[in-house]
Amino acid sequence: MLNIIWVSFFVLGFIAALVQSLYFGVSGMWSNIVGDIFSSAKTAFSISLNLTGILCLWLGLLKIAEKSGLTKVLAKILEPLFCKLMPEVPKGHPAMGSMIMNMAANVLGLDNAATPMGLKAMEQLQELNKKKDEASNAQILFMVINASAVTLIPITILMYRAELGSANPAAVFMPILFATSISTLVGFLSVAFVQKLNIFNRVVLGYMAAFFAIIGGVAWYFTSLPAEVRLIASAEWGNAILFGFIILFIVAGVLKKLNVYETFISGAKEGFDIAIRIVPYLVAMLVAIAVLRSSGVLDLIVQGFDKFFALCGLDTAFVAALPTALLKPLSGSGARAMMIETMQNYGADSFPAFISCIVQGSTETTFYVLAVYFGAVKISKVRHALPCALLADLAGIVAAVCFGYMFYQG
């Protein structure tokens, strides 16, 4: 499937560029595309290079957590749930602890910590995978949850809104929370349907109820804070929890009488190896996305949506936010740039900007997550991972638009 999608991006980009240059007389089209191709290849390497230090840091800390037995303790918390959802993963396997910490970091919006933990979990799941070039059911479920992960504290989005002059930066907090929850739920249910998982039992339903209760409680806490301190509080809580994890890992290693420094170095070396392995996969994906973007295909799609919704008699005020929605599954930096551009063009507190921010926080960058996570373990056959992840993206985007209309106060 990845092969078909990758080739399709180039073919669509070529056709769109050919039509614009020959039929519409647009000049400089080919040079722009070639320039973006080389630029994206450099960007892919830069991302991997910048990720190296973060990977070394967190995989070093995770090695301490693993050797000290802390990951086993964490795994026991969700072991009953994972045994139902991932029956091929043995009880007490290290992958469970890594997955739990990855999901916790995602929920808190701690991307720098979530990615290394997720890559470690994917490697551990790969050890159990009998078909090394094909994604296992457990890896697919884990990847889809990551690609649609609930973000409880969207710190970056709130900071951009504040910097661009929003009167109430945290106004998007609740709609983002609801939209990203729906995205994750749809992604989880779609995988459960394909894999024929029995989710209607007391264990799974109990964990889901507890999860949404926690989300509701945290949402209530932040909405109860004054608007002027909500952004600061969310950032402080996120960073405090992140630093708390670091101290917890080190203390656990000391109590276990480990050589904490040497254990950290051992894990950090793994981070460097992973960073090198993902470079080709990122180059391939980002170059294809650059062709799609610079050829004008995304602009044509937005114009098509605008005409379609107008013919249906629907309000088209949200269409200006669709470039962010279209780029979000393809490029995190591209979607972020579109979100900022929308706020600059229409105003930080405008309706299109409001929708754009909710979309940005409702889903993850699916193709990036897929390229990095599966590329790290050299999996080429992703099976139903991509369709389920894209369905979750679609649900998140639709939910973002709906909650935008529901919450917006111009």
Side-chain angles (χ1 to χ4, degrees):
M1 179 172 289
L2 279 181
N3 178 55
I4 296 173
I5 291 174
W6 194 71
V7 172
S8 298
F9 283 1
F10 282 99
V11 172
L12 286 172
F14 175 74
I15 294 173
L18 191 64
V19 170
Q20 292 188 73
S21 61
L22 295 180
Y23 186 76
F24 293 105
V26 178
S27 60
M29 177 61 65
W30 302 111
S31 59
N32 288 338
I33 293 176
V34 173
D36 285 345
I37 285 175
F38 287 118
S39 177
S40 295
K42 292 179 181 178
T43 299
F45 180 76
S46 297
I47 290 173
S48 300
L49 187 64
N50 293 333
L51 196 58
T52 303
I54 298 169
L55 281 169
C56 290
L57 169 65
W58 281 103
L59 290 184
L61 291 169
L62 280 174
K63 180 65 74 173
I64 297 173
E66 183 181 335
K67 293 293 184 181
S68 66
L70 188 60
T71 54
K72 291 183 179 180
V73 174
L74 292 172
K76 288 182 178 179
I77 298 173
L78 291 180
E79 190 173 74
L81 175 63
F82 278 86
C83 286
K84 295 289 185 183
L85 300 180
M86 300 178 179
E88 64 267 41
V89 180
K91 289 184 178 181
H93 194 274
M96 289 192 177
S98 299
M99 286 188 286
I100 292 168
M101 288 188 286
N102 164 266
M103 292 175 188
N106 268 324
V107 166
L108 295 168
L110 307 173
D111 296 337
N112 288 344
T115 301
M117 293 173 180
L119 290 172
K120 183 65 175 179
M122 190 63 77
E123 281 200 328
Q124 291 166 335
L125 290 173
Q126 183 69 352
E127 295 172 2
L128 302 171
N129 189 4
K130 296 179 180 179
K131 298 180 180 179
K132 298 302 182 182
D133 64 334
E134 183 177 299
S136 66
N137 284 348
Q139 287 173 319
I140 290 173
L141 178 58
F142 178 62
M143 182 267 164
V144 172
I145 291 176
N146 260 274
S148 59
V150 171
T151 301
L152 203 58
I153 309 173
I155 297 173
T156 305
I157 296 172
L158 301 183
M159 289 177 63
Y160 277 123
R161 281 176 57 82
E163 289 173 7
L164 291 171
S166 173
N168 183 12
V172 296
F173 178 82
M174 288 301 294
I176 285 178
L177 178 62
F178 291 140
T180 191
S181 297
I182 288 176
S183 171
T184 302
L185 183 61
V186 170
F188 168 70
L189 291 177
S190 64
V191 175
F193 175 78
V194 175
Q195 296 182 3
K196 296 181 173 60
L197 298 174
N198 179 22
I199 60 173
F200 297 104
N201 59 72
R202 284 183 291 180
V203 174
V204 177
L205 293 176
Y207 273 96
M208 290 179 65
F211 175 72
F212 284 107
I214 292 172
I215 288 179
V218 175
W220 173 84
Y221 167 73
F222 280 107
T223 52
S224 67
L225 296 175
E228 62 272 12
V229 301
R230 200 172 296 155
L231 175 61
I232 299 173
S234 63
E236 286 298 312
W237 270 104
N239 289 320
I241 292 172
L242 182 62
F243 186 62
F245 271 123
I246 295 174
I247 297 300
L248 176 63
F249 294 166
I250 294 174
V251 170
V254 171
L255 293 177
K256 198 69 175 180
K257 299 181 179 179
L258 297 176
N259 185 329
V260 179
Y261 178 78
E262 291 297 332
T263 305
F264 175 86
I265 296 299
S266 174
K269 290 178 180 178
E270 298 177 11
F272 184 80
D273 294 336
I274 292 174
I276 296 299
R277 286 206 303 270
I278 66 177
V279 172
Y281 297 90
L282 276 181
V283 170
M285 194 58 68
L286 292 186
V287 165
I289 291 168
V291 171
L292 200 66
R293 185 177 65 248
S294 58
S295 65
V297 171
L298 294 178
D299 293 334
L300 292 173
I301 293 174
V302 170
Q303 293 172 14
F305 274 121
D306 186 58
K307 293 179 179 178
F308 172 77
F309 290 122
L311 287 173
C312 294
L314 299 175
D315 181 59
T316 59
F318 72 93
V319 173
L322 284 185
T324 303
L326 292 173
L327 280 172
K328 183 61 179 178
L330 303 172
S331 168
S333 58
R336 184 168 56 251
M338 290 308 308
M339 177 188 71
I340 294 171
E341 185 177 313
T342 303
M343 285 193 281
Q344 290 174 333
N345 289 341
Y346 295 91
D349 288 324
S350 66
F351 182 68
F354 191 75
I355 296 289
S356 184
C357 289
I358 302 172
V359 168
Q360 178 71 4
S362 65
T363 63
E364 254 295 348
T365 313
T366 296
F367 285 92
Y368 170 82
V369 172
L370 187 142
V372 170
Y373 278 48
F374 286 145
V377 291
K378 300 180 180 179
I379 286 176
S380 57
K381 300 175 183 177
V382 299
R383 300 171 59 209
H384 52 278
L386 184 58
C388 291
L390 291 178
L391 181 61
D393 287 341
L394 178 61
I397 292 168
V398 172
V401 173
C402 293
F403 286 117
Y405 276 98
M406 188 182 301
F407 279 84
Y408 182 72
Q409 296 177 349

